[in-house]
Amino acid sequence: MLKAKVILVAIGVALAVPQAQAGSTPEEDRKETVEYFKQMFPDVAIEEFVNGQYALDEDRRSQWESMQDFPPYEFAVAEGQEMFETPFANGKTYASCFENGGIGVRQNYPYFDTEKNEVITLELAINRCREANGEEPLGWKKGAIASISAYMASTSQGKPISIKVPDDPDALAAYQDGKEFYYSRRGQLNFSCASCHVQNPGKWIRADLLSPTIGQPANFPVHRSKWGELGTLHRRFAGCNNNVRAEPLPAQSEEYRNLEYFLTYMSNGLPVVGPATRP
Amino acid sequence: MNKPLLTIGVLLALSVPLAAQAGPKEDFNDLYAKAQSTHKDAGTFQWTVTSDRLEAAKTAAADGDYEKAEAMANEALKLAEESVAQRKKQQEAWRNVAIGN
C-alpha cells in the first residue's frame, strides 16, 4: 500500500501540461487535446486510442488480440439483445424509446436535453424507457443494464462518436462542469483524472498501464477480467475515484453524467468499439 | 459506619469524576457531529478515509469504547478538514492544468 502511494506521488509531479488561453470552446478544447496526445504519441494513429492501453504497448496488445476470437462478453451481448427485443408488460419494447429503434445510435450518447436541462446517458435513457413503460429501473453499474448497453453499442460499431454541445448556456455549463471534474484533484492522494490520463498515459502504475483521455469511453461497457463481467462507464469512474481515496459519487449522478459528457466529447470522431475487454 | 452512610459515600465518590467533565459520550457526540459536518462540507471532494474513520468511530462508540471512538473521530475531523481545503483550492487550481481553458 505504501509503495503504491509512493509510485503515485512520483507520477503526480511528472510532466506539466501547457497552459492555454481562458474561455475556449468545447471544440477548441478537443482539438488542443488531440494535438497534445499526437505530440505525446507521434507513432500512434489517433483512431487507435479507442483501444486504450492496448494502443500503447505491443506486448499487451498481442495478448489482447489473441483473446478477441472468443470474447468473454459475447453471451452478455446476446442476452442484452434478447432483453432489448422482449416486450414490456404493456407490449412496447425499448425500440419505442429511441431514435431509429435504438439501433446504431450509441455514438450520439450522451446528449444534452435542452428541455429537461440535463445530460442523458445511454444507461439513463434505458432506465427512463423502462419507467415510462411501467417497469422497474435496473441497477446502474452491471448486469442487465450493461448487457443492454453492450448490445446497443454493438449495433453502432465503427460509427464515429458524435457528441454535441448545443448553443445553450446550460449545455455549456454541463460540459464545463465535467471538464472541471476531470481536472480537479480529489482524494487523500490528491490526484485528478488528468494527473493519470492526461499527464501520464503510457506509464505504469503497479501492474496497470495508463490509457489517454482520448478514446477512453469508446469501448464501454467493458468486460474487465478484474470484474469477471461487464460494467458501465460509471462503474469505472467510481473505481478510479476510489483508487485515489476519493469518495465515489453515485452512478448516473449529475456529476458523473457531466463528466461523461465532457469525456465523450473529447473522443468525437473516433469509432465506437464497445463492448470490449480490459484487464 | 452504618450502611446508608456508606452507600452515600460510595455514590459521592463515584459521581466526582462524572461531574468534573461533560462525560465521554457527550464529548464524543460533539466531536463526531463536527467531523461529520466538516466531511459534508467537502461536497464532491469527500475522502474515503474520512468515511472509514467516521464509521469506525460510530462502531467503537456503540461498543462503549469512547477512547477509541474519540481517537477515530479526531482523525476523521482532521482528514475532513484537509478535504475541505482541497475542495477550496481546486475551485481555481484546476484551470491551471486544464488543456484549453
Side-chain angles (χ1 to χ4, degrees):
Chain A
M1 206 60 191
L2 190 61
K3 192 170 160 212
K5 187 172 171 183
V6 170
I7 296 170
L8 287 169
V9 169
I11 279 178
V13 294
L15 264 168
V17 172
Q19 223 182 309
Q21 73 283 26
S24 52
T25 64
E27 195 49 17
E28 283 165 349
D29 288 352
R30 190 190 65 79
K31 285 190 177 139
E32 209 178 319
T33 306
V34 168
E35 205 45 50
Y36 171 85
F37 286 113
K38 271 188 181 163
Q39 281 178 25
M40 189 180 258
F41 301 105
D43 300 332
V44 179
I46 204 79
E47 306 78 54
E48 274 297 312
F49 285 140
V50 294
N51 296 319
Q53 56 183 284
Y54 302 126
L56 308 180
D57 186 83
E58 282 294 329
D59 288 347
R60 287 236 154 171
R61 190 183 176 95
S62 50
Q63 280 171 27
W64 175 65
E65 278 171 347
S66 65
M67 239 174 106
Q68 298 314 300
D69 293 339
F70 302 101
Y73 48 76
E74 230 168 26
F75 180 72
V77 172
E79 202 180 54
Q81 176 171 8
E82 199 183 318
M83 289 187 273
F84 185 84
E85 290 168 354
T86 305
F88 302 126
N90 68 3
K92 289 199 191 167
T93 62
Y94 286 103
S96 67
C97 300
F98 292 91
E99 210 181 319
N100 199 40
I103 305 303
V105 298
R106 164 76 243 182
Q107 70 281 0
N108 302 326
Y109 286 81
Y111 69 91
F112 191 84
D113 184 327
T114 47
E115 264 154 40
K116 298 204 177 84
N117 267 332
E118 61 176 343
V119 170
I120 311 287
T121 63
L122 185 59
E123 286 79 15
L124 186 69
I126 289 171
N127 263 345
R128 292 241 170 114
C129 179
R130 293 181 61 84
E131 290 178 304
N133 286 289
E135 303 284 329
E136 289 290 312
L138 303 166
W140 291 121
K141 287 184 171 175
K142 56 184 179 180
I145 207 160
S147 300
I148 295 168
S149 170
Y151 166 66
M152 292 178 79
S154 76
T155 68
S156 312
Q157 288 260 341
K159 297 205 181 220
I161 293 172
S162 174
I163 306 308
K164 297 184 177 67
V165 179
D167 188 12
D168 175 295
D170 292 322
L172 197 61
Y175 167 89
Q176 284 292 348
D177 199 51
K179 179 175 166 185
E180 180 170 343
F181 198 107
Y182 201 76
Y183 285 102
S184 294
R185 290 177 178 272
R186 280 188 159 72
Q188 190 185 29
L189 301 188
N190 200 31
F191 270 61
S192 69
C193 312
S195 309
C196 286
H197 298 298
V198 172
Q199 300 182 9
N200 291 289
K203 298 208 180 90
W204 294 83
I205 284 194
R206 284 175 282 172
D208 293 314
L209 182 63
L210 287 168
S211 60
T213 307
I214 303 276
Q216 261 190 342
N219 55 291
F220 277 81
V222 86
H223 185 288
R224 288 188 67 193
S225 26
K226 183 182 164 192
W227 294 336
E229 60 182 355
L230 279 175
T232 60
L233 185 59
H234 291 201
R235 184 177 180 187
R236 178 56 110 158
F237 288 172
C240 280
N241 273 155
N242 202 53
N243 281 345
V244 297
R245 300 180 199 157
E247 198 63 73
L249 300 172
Q252 301 300 326
S253 57
E254 189 179 10
E255 288 85 358
Y256 275 5
R257 281 185 282 140
N258 291 346
L259 175 62
E260 177 174 344
Y261 192 41
F262 161 76
L263 189 60
T264 314
Y265 189 93
M266 290 297 110
S267 291
N268 263 354
L270 302 189
V272 171
V273 291
T277 57
R278 293 289 185 270
Chain B
M1 219 185 219
N2 65 21
K3 210 171 169 200
L5 263 183
L6 179 67
T7 311
I8 289 170
V10 167
L11 278 177
L12 273 176
L14 275 176
S15 65
V16 168
L18 287 177
Q21 57 191 90
K25 188 171 175 191
E26 286 71 23
D27 281 355
F28 167 74
N29 283 344
D30 289 351
L31 183 61
Y32 185 86
K34 193 170 172 210
Q36 203 175 30
S37 82
T38 309
H39 186 45
K40 212 166 164 203
D41 285 346
T44 66
F45 286 76
Q46 290 184 339
W47 294 1
T48 53
V49 283
T50 315
S51 315
D52 294 347
R53 300 295 190 288
L54 284 171
E55 200 55 44
K58 219 163 57 185
T59 310
D63 292 347
D65 184 351
Y66 285 102
E67 199 176 319
K68 181 173 178 200
E70 203 175 313
M72 286 294 117
N74 254 320
E75 282 184 30
L77 178 58
K78 260 202 213 106
L79 292 165
E81 281 166 353
E82 285 181 62
S83 67
V84 169
Q86 180 185 55
R87 184 189 127 205
K88 289 188 175 144
K89 186 168 177 206
Q90 289 305 308
Q91 261 161 18
E92 287 307 319
W94 74 271
R95 289 182 193 281
N96 301 328
V97 291
I99 299 181
N101 218 322

